Amino acid sequence: MKIDVLTIFPEFFGQVFDFGIIRRAKLAGLVEVNVHDIREYATDKHKMTDDRPFGGGDGMVLKAEPIFLAIEHLLGTSDRSEYSESVRVVMLSPQGRPLKQQIAKEFAECAGHIVLICGRYEGIDERVNEMLVTDEISIGDYVLSGGEPAAVVLTDAIVRLLPEALGSQTSAENDSFSNGLLDCPHYTRPAEFRGMSVPEVLLNGNHAEIEKWRFEKALEKTKRIRPDLLIGENGEM
Ligand code: ADE
């Protein structure tokens, strides 16, 4: 998989992709992540990437042309109907589809080349969305000052699902959300810590009982914290 990030703040990304699972996946050749400065594609002498909004109003709007040129450089076309099947061009913005585990899974399984466009909160010329973008994604119902943190979140969520990125495949299958529930509680040594003991069931080696306990705890926690996850599309529990 190849992930290209388009941003006006390339320094923001520093070493953020150089730790843990993303670093391992990069070293193993499962993914290549490149960060590109949109400013390098600006054509005017001041290398302007934004401009005042037509119709007036506060703030500046990211210009279409540098982003079109960057996409043409990366994908050979600025017409999304010509992208190959495994290409996704993602706009990170609060207007997007809310990111869910299922979306990360779909990207991990079907996308070979992902371009992430980091918007700024004031906005981005709509022609970018009309011609270039295949998916607009939000990481939650709150407003960030730019799409950069969201690009990091999405990259992490996708890369850890690539086959062989995690040490053991079962750990991705056991993640929160992959079965529609929050994760169960975990404990490690010592069995007794400052007067708090680990639930007895985890110490007895009975794997069927442990699985049952974990499921019950996950269900209990989900009911308490995220009952919305238990409600089906038709409103049934
Ligand atoms: N840019 C600004 N806010 C965002 C959000 N909530 N998700 C994705 N990108 C954003």
Side-chain angles (χ1 to χ4, degrees):
M1 175 178 283
K2 188 169 173 196
I3 300 179
D4 287 299
V5 182
L6 299 184
T7 172
I8 55 169
F9 296 129
E11 292 85 5
F12 173 90
F13 293 88
Q15 298 184 300
V16 77
F17 299 126
D18 291 336
F19 297 92
I21 288 165
I22 302 188
R23 176 187 145 89
R24 270 228 317 269
K26 279 166 60 181
L27 291 174
L30 301 174
V31 67
E32 182 186 322
V33 185
N34 299 305
V35 177
H36 309 270
D37 188 351
I38 293 172
R39 192 171 301 276
E40 287 182 9
Y41 296 90
T43 51
D44 63 296
K45 72 168 190 265
H46 299 295
K47 297 252 165 216
M48 262 178 48
T49 54
D50 57 5
D51 206 340
R52 293 191 311 276
F54 277 121
D58 291 338
M60 301 286 271
V61 174
L62 282 187
K63 288 162 68 71
E65 191 190 40
I67 298 174
F68 270 66
L69 290 171
I71 292 286
E72 280 159 8
H73 175 78
L74 292 170
L75 299 177
T77 174
S78 49
D79 178 348
R80 68 182 168 202
S81 70
E82 293 177 355
Y83 295 162
S84 65
E85 211 192 312
S86 64
V87 167
R88 300 287 187 285
V89 175
V90 180
M91 174 67 74
L92 281 320
S93 96
Q95 282 78 44
R97 260 192 307 160
L99 179 59
K100 294 276 151 50
Q101 189 67 10
Q102 187 52 40
I103 297 179
K105 197 159 171 272
E106 195 270 331
F107 279 117
E109 285 167 4
C110 306
H113 189 180
I114 302 174
V115 183
L116 303 177
I117 304 176
C118 305
R120 301 308 302 163
Y121 74 99
E122 296 94 337
I124 190 153
D125 192 299
E126 186 60 19
R127 289 164 288 194
V128 169
N129 285 321
E130 285 165 10
M131 286 301 288
L132 307 178
V133 170
T134 61
D135 300 84
E136 190 167 3
I137 290 185
S138 163
I139 63 162
D141 291 339
Y142 39 80
V143 179
L144 305 170
S145 44
E148 284 78 7
V152 174
V153 168
L154 181 58
T155 299
D156 191 295
I158 294 168
V159 170
R160 61 190 299 288
L161 293 179
L162 293 176
E164 295 166 53
L166 293 184
S168 82
Q169 192 52 37
T170 53
S171 34
E173 284 160 14
N174 292 340
D175 279 347
S176 296
F177 303 114
S178 59
N179 62 358
L181 297 177
L182 301 181
D183 203 359
C184 62
H186 302 277
Y187 297 88
T188 187
R189 289 184 294 182
E192 178 97 16
F193 172 67
R194 299 192 178 178
M196 298 172 283
S197 34
V198 171
E200 191 60 36
V201 58
L202 298 178
L203 307 174
N204 71 12
N206 182 332
H207 292 289
E209 253 183 56
I210 292 171
E211 277 319 296
K212 183 161 164 280
W213 180 88
R214 286 181 169 156
F215 175 74
E216 284 167 1
K217 287 292 168 188
L219 189 59
E220 203 176 277
K221 182 147 197 177
T222 309
K223 275 187 186 154
R224 189 158 38 89
I225 312 282
R226 293 291 307 277
D228 56 297
L229 293 176
L230 297 170
I231 297 169
E233 275 168 24
N234 303 317
E236 80 283 8
M237 277 292 254

